[in-house]
Amino acid sequence: MKGKIGLVVGLGVGYVLGTRAGRERYEQIKTQWLKVWNLDPVQEQVTKVKGFVGDKAAAVPGAIWTGVVKVAKSVGGDGTPGQKLDSAIATGKDAAEDVAKATDAATAEARKTAAKVTASKSSSAKSAQAKADD
């Protein structure tokens, strides 16, 4: 629900700003954004984040696959159907916890990286401001 509301609000704000500012202002904003985006410090951080996301995102599907394999093995084991069901449920809960842990770890690492990027940007902005003041 939050996503839908955010989408509607974003579309509304974009429409209002777009109609008031016009195409010329849009082009100015776009040009300035591209100048910032193409700065070497920004691109260095983008490269770091891409590498990080690739590494950490790979852990989540691996945890899911391991959980699926464990559940399948527990169902294929010996015992009555009720015992197999109980085993599958317990294994499924354990697998879900493992996936949650992997996701939480990836999220925590992403937040740390984002904080580093933000700190780097603010220090770069401060040094640029100091140079401009001189």
Side-chain angles (χ1 to χ4, degrees), residues 3-4 11 16 20-21 35 38 68 76-77 89-90 99 115 118-119 122 130 134:
K4 291 179 183 178
L11 288 172
V16 170
R20 287 190 181 166
K35 285 180 184 176
N38 291 321
V68 169
I89 291 171
V99 170
T118 303
S122 66
D134 292 338

Side-chain angles (χ1 to χ4, degrees), residues 45-69:
Q45 295 302 323
V46 168
T47 303
K48 287 179 187 177
V49 170
K50 283 181 181 178
F52 169 78
V53 168
D55 293 342
K56 296 301 175 184
V60 175
I64 292 172
W65 178 253
T66 302
V68 169
V69 169

Side-chain angles (χ1 to χ4, degrees), residues 78-93:
D78 293 334
T80 66
Q83 290 171 334
K84 289 181 182 181
L85 178 61
D86 291 341
S87 175
I89 291 171
T91 305
K93 286 180 181 178

